[in-house]
Amino acid sequence: MKPISEDEARALGVEAIHHEMDNGERRFRLVSSDGSSYSRTEASGASGWQNSHYHQGVTELYVVQKGWIAYAELSAGGELTISLLQQGDTVTVRPYTHHNVYMSAFAVTHVVKYGDGTDKGTDKADWVPSPALDLRTKPVTESELLHKFNST
């Protein structure tokens, strides 16, 4: 087996990109030029909502490795559904589905994005904000999530 250097991988359209988000989450990503990617997200000691969004050509598979998350989805008719996902749970998010995730403290998730995630002719990622869903999810507290949406 021959190792592939970062420069060789980049020349083949694959790049490792890592960030610490403003909310303290750490994101470790492996991103392809076709818009597909893998991401490991590690929540900080502070829990909270991410930013609501949807994708036009990408399907996402969320896997909860540690802790729990809340998954919120806004239907085309404007109906909000929120479910709690525990360690080992998964959810698949189809294109044009407005969604948001609440990461509990120290939760770890894996997200696989696949499909056509490129904006034709640009390097722009397939990520479109959903302010309408942010208005509905950001006010929901952890206490409300645990008491209203916990089915266990």
Side-chain angles (χ1 to χ4, degrees), residues 87-115:
Q87 180 176 326
D89 289 342
T90 64
V91 65
T92 300
V93 184
R94 305 283 178 211
Y96 292 98
T97 302
H98 295 238
H99 60 283
N100 198 356
V101 170
Y102 182 96
M103 297 278 290
S104 68
F106 304 111
V108 176
T109 61
H110 302 273
V111 179
V112 177
K113 292 182 183 181
Y114 57 95

Side-chain angles (χ1 to χ4, degrees), residues 29-112:
R29 297 182 183 107
L30 188 61
V31 180
S32 173
S33 58
D34 67 3
S36 64
S37 67
Y38 159 78
S39 177
R40 174 188 171 99
T41 301
E42 299 175 350
S44 69
S47 53
W49 286 102
Q50 295 179 342
N51 293 312
S52 299
H53 63 284
Y54 67 93
H55 306 282
Q56 296 175 341
V58 169
T59 297
E60 291 182 300
L61 171 65
Y62 283 81
V63 180
V64 181
Q65 178 178 323
K66 179 180 171 189
W68 62 271
I69 67 170
Y71 170 76
E73 184 175 298
L74 192 60
S75 74
E79 183 180 342
L80 174 66
T81 57
I82 297 177
S83 55
L84 295 188
L85 303 175
Q86 305 292 332
Q87 180 176 326
D89 289 342
T90 64
V91 65
T92 300
V93 184
R94 305 283 178 211
Y96 292 98
T97 302
H98 295 238
H99 60 283
N100 198 356
V101 170
Y102 182 96
M103 297 278 290
S104 68
F106 304 111
V108 176
T109 61
H110 302 273
V111 179
V112 177

